Amino acid sequence: MLETILDVLKKSDNDGWSVMDTKTKGWEFYFIRHNLDQNRVKNVEHVNVTVYKKTEDRYLGKASAEIGVNDTREEAEKAVNALIERASLVRNPLYTLSEKKAYKPMEEAAYDIAEVAENFITAIREVKETAEADVNSYEIFVNDVTARLITSTGIDIEERYPSSMSEVVTNARNEKQEIELYRMYHSGTCDKEGLRKNIEKTLQYGKDRLQAVPTPALNKCDVVFSTSDAVRIYQFFIQRLSTGMVYQKFSNWKLKEEIDPQTRGDKVTIEAKRMLPDSSLNLICDEEGQIIEDRILMKDNVPCAYWGERMSSQLIGVEDAFSLSNVVVSGGTKSEAEVRSGRYLEVVEFSDFQVSPITGNVFGEIRLGYLHEGDKVTIVTGGSVSGTMLAYLKNMVFSREQVQYDHIVIPSVTKLMDVTVTGAGR
């Protein structure tokens, strides 16, 4: 069917096209406690088509849709013509499509999805459980993906990579109540030791939640982030370096100009990476065919390069930008122990945590935290944290040690100073 779709596109009245043909072979496992409830084998193919259409020699619209691999030629022609019609109604400023370029092929990934699945199952079964806290259920999805991008400009790139995901539900209980915590882990292959430790930490969080008291009204307090919620803090920096944000004037960060000369804390360095161990996004190119490279995006709070989609990149005069896959945020100047010093609130569970890349506003509802006051540690729940990254980036500090969450590496511990902390019931 792929050849039929390509032939239809070549003969249709468009001004450019791209096809992403993705074949996924995988295994799925569903466990209740540690007993296998059901499992499935997956072997699917999806063909996503994008067409471009010029109008009035000033605009280039685009439209995308999936065309079924079992569709007839007539159905494919109808789908492509509908996409062309939709694209002709879009008034995007004129830009050029990605051209074929030389690139260094990715080394063949050395993995076996059967072994990856076994590693997930083994890691979860090795979790140390107790009568007070255990694993309720878990699901494992392990995929072997082969993706081929073909475009009207001559790009034809095929790559193979692993993509995995596990969902884990834990329970902690005492004679009065029971706490359920949910986790979702994305990765390429499986870091057995890291996964086991993460689930065991979650079990401890559940037990601690049973002892938590209402968060007091702290007014202003330093707040430490040591879980995946911290990714949103660094996404604030990453997103404001995107060509889309710059073009729409949501970001005023300029290349070679420090984002805030008054910064007294640690300064952020961000690098785009083509390859990252255990990542699910080790890709040669982005969806538009732009080759992904190792590139420093920010060095010590000074933007060095923008990233983004083809249209917004060209509109601000950037020709070599690409959409991000892997990102590494460098560590800071202090150790984890040094960051965890003084009076601070370490929040490890939020019901919701948000950092707006546009306004910088920070907000999160606390489900579990640890209030450190000298040698005294109080387990708390309820209340919220709020403020703005535009102020916090001046004094934030983060650890030399780093941690990886699928396709992003960040400092393992991050502290924001003088965060507004509202107590429970306020």
Side-chain angles (χ1 to χ4, degrees):
M1 185 60 191
L2 176 61
E3 295 304 320
T4 299
I5 294 172
L6 292 174
D7 187 58
V8 169
L9 287 166
K10 292 173 183 177
K11 294 178 178 178
S12 63
D13 184 24
N14 62 69
D15 292 298
W17 51 264
S18 67
V19 175
M20 180 65 79
D21 179 23
T22 305
K23 298 176 181 177
T24 304
K25 298 178 181 179
W27 288 354
E28 301 176 359
F29 301 87
Y30 303 83
F31 288 85
I32 298 177
R33 301 299 178 185
H34 292 289
N35 299 315
L36 181 63
D37 182 57
Q38 61 176 302
N39 69 289
R40 292 196 290 250
V41 175
K42 176 169 63 178
N43 190 349
V44 298
E45 180 179 6
H46 296 280
V47 179
N48 288 284
V49 175
T50 299
V51 300
Y52 301 85
K53 186 65 179 176
K54 292 180 182 178
T55 53
E56 302 176 20
D57 295 326
R58 292 191 298 146
Y59 304 107
L60 181 68
K62 77 171 183 177
S64 303
E66 180 177 346
I67 296 180
V69 293
N70 296 317
D71 286 0
T72 64
R73 183 183 181 90
E74 290 71 22
E75 289 171 326
E77 289 175 344
K78 183 178 179 181
V80 168
N81 288 333
L83 286 175
I84 294 171
E85 176 63 23
R86 284 169 47 196
S88 70
L89 301 176
V90 178
R91 293 297 190 264
N92 288 329
L94 191 63
Y95 62 99
T96 62
L97 305 182
S98 300
E99 297 287 343
K100 181 179 180 180
K101 294 180 181 178
Y103 65 91
K104 183 180 179 181
M106 197 83 76
E107 292 184 10
E108 182 66 25
Y111 66 89
D112 176 66
I113 58 171
E115 182 179 346
V116 174
E118 182 180 1
N119 288 340
F120 271 104
I121 295 170
T122 300
I124 299 175
R125 284 181 170 169
E126 289 179 349
V127 169
K128 296 176 183 177
E129 301 173 273
T130 66
E132 294 78 29
D134 53 25
V135 175
N136 175 296
S137 57
Y138 53 100
E139 301 176 0
I140 297 169
F141 306 86
V142 179
N143 297 314
D144 184 357
V145 181
T146 301
R148 183 183 177 191
L149 176 66
I150 310 167
T151 75
S152 56
T153 57
I155 296 172
D156 190 345
I157 295 176
E158 182 174 278
E159 48 193 336
R160 173 176 172 252
Y161 56 91
S163 178
S164 306
M165 188 265 285
S166 59
E167 296 178 281
V168 182
V169 177
T170 67
N171 289 107
R173 62 190 69 81
N174 58 21
E175 64 280 0
K176 295 181 179 180
Q177 61 177 321
E178 185 165 354
I179 297 295
E180 179 178 282
L181 296 179
Y182 166 83
R183 289 291 188 273
M184 179 185 291
Y185 305 98
H186 290 277
S187 62
T189 51
C190 176
D191 174 7
K192 288 174 59 178
E193 185 67 11
L195 178 61
R196 180 186 63 79
K197 289 182 178 179
N198 202 309
I199 297 173
E200 288 178 352
K201 191 179 293 184
T202 303
L203 294 179
Q204 185 62 52
Y205 291 161
K207 291 192 291 185
D208 289 347
R209 174 75 184 277
L210 295 169
Q211 307 174 47
V213 299
T215 303
L218 300 175
N219 189 18
K220 296 290 185 178
C221 184
D222 297 347
V223 176
V224 165
F225 300 81
S226 57
T227 67
S228 60
D229 289 307
V231 170
R232 294 178 177 86
I233 293 173
Y234 294 99
Q235 284 289 355
F236 165 79
F237 294 89
I238 295 168
Q239 291 298 322
R240 289 176 75 91
L241 293 170
S242 72
T243 57
M245 291 277 287
V246 174
Y247 171 67
Q248 296 177 79
K249 302 189 185 304
F250 292 137
S251 171
N252 60 357
W253 290 0
K254 298 179 180 179
L255 300 183
K256 301 180 181 180
E257 293 185 14
E258 188 169 356
I259 60 176
D260 191 333
Q262 298 179 356
T263 297
R264 296 180 295 275
D266 285 334
K267 297 184 178 183
V268 176
T269 295
I270 302 170
E271 185 176 5
K273 298 287 287 186
R274 184 177 180 184
M275 182 76 181
L276 200 60
D278 287 325
S279 169
S280 62
L281 290 179
N282 289 331
L283 308 175
I284 296 172
C285 66
D286 65 16
E287 292 186 350
E288 295 179 298
Q290 290 291 101
I291 303 301
I292 295 171
E293 302 174 357
D294 290 353
R295 180 177 296 174
I296 295 177
L297 303 176
M298 176 178 281
K299 178 70 172 177
D300 293 334
N301 277 17
V302 177
C304 303
Y306 296 130
W307 66 273
E309 295 182 343
R310 185 74 172 162
M311 182 184 75
S312 58
S313 299
Q314 285 196 352
L315 291 175
I316 64 170
V318 178
E319 284 292 333
D320 61 347
F322 50 83
S323 294
L324 295 182
S325 53
N326 300 313
V327 178
V328 174
V329 180
S330 298
T333 59
K334 303 180 184 302
S335 67
E336 288 185 357
E338 289 173 318
V339 175
R340 287 190 172 102
S341 62
R343 179 176 182 265
Y344 66 93
L345 174 67
E346 180 172 358
V347 183
V348 296
E349 289 284 327
F350 288 98
S351 59
D352 186 28
F353 181 66
Q354 304 172 18
V355 180
S356 169
I358 297 175
T359 64
N361 289 347
V362 175
F363 180 78
E365 297 178 347
I366 302 168
R367 294 184 67 188
L368 178 65
Y370 302 90
L371 178 59
H372 294 254
E373 298 172 293
D375 294 331
K376 179 184 177 182
V377 180
T378 305
I379 305 172
V380 299
T381 185
S384 64
V385 299
S386 60
T388 173
M389 280 302 301
L390 298 176
Y392 297 149
L393 66 83
K394 298 177 185 293
N395 299 299
M396 67 183 288
V397 294
F398 39 88
S399 63
R400 288 190 293 268
E401 298 89 342
Q402 295 167 288
V403 63
Q404 181 174 339
Y405 298 104
D406 189 14
H407 54 85
I408 184 169
V409 173
I410 64 171
S412 54
V413 179
T414 302
K415 180 191 282 186
L416 303 183
M417 310 296 191
D418 294 327
V419 176
T420 299
V421 181
T422 303
R426 293 295 184 91

